[in-house]
Amino acid sequence: MSIHVPPGWPPQVHPPGADRFEETALAWLLELLPPEYRRYGVLRRYPPALARMARHHVNASVEAARTGFRSARVELAGLVPPHGIDAVLETYRHEGARLVELLHAVELVEDALRA
């Protein structure tokens, strides 16, 4: 029997209802947060709380990338040559897209943990 997962589901996390779903979800979510978060047992005891923290953390990264993209030309003018600024903007484009996909994956896992 195969278990369907929605598009964007992280491959590191077993599908909801599968063996070790919660265990793999916890491990994956903890990887998204700064290492210091591992010290807090409450996050392992309450997976929805961990997912919420991960969602906020990744969302903040998305917003930071957007702000960095919007301000790069002005803030880096005179410090980085134009071709370097273009490369920085391309980096923001790639990372921004990756972070948006990651945020979507976190939201999917969070929804599954809440179900």
Side-chain angles (χ1 to χ4, degrees), residues 23-106:
E23 180 185 332
T24 58
L26 288 171
W28 181 72
L29 291 166
L30 282 169
E31 286 295 317
L32 303 178
L33 294 168
E36 294 79 14
Y37 281 64
R38 294 173 191 273
R39 288 186 273 166
Y40 303 101
V42 67
L43 299 178
R44 289 182 191 273
R45 282 191 303 278
Y46 302 106
L50 174 62
R52 179 182 175 277
M53 283 190 154
R55 177 174 43 87
H56 284 291
H57 183 76
V58 174
N59 187 58
S61 295
V62 168
E63 291 305 315
R66 288 176 177 160
T67 298
F69 181 85
R70 285 191 303 267
S71 63
R73 284 201 190 278
V74 172
E75 290 181 5
L76 297 175
L79 301 172
V80 177
H83 68 276
I85 293 173
D86 290 341
V88 167
L89 293 174
E90 188 61 22
T91 299
Y92 275 125
R93 281 186 200 96
H94 285 288
E95 276 303 297
R98 183 189 68 80
L99 288 166
V100 167
E101 288 176 11
L102 181 60
L103 179 58
H104 176 66
V106 170

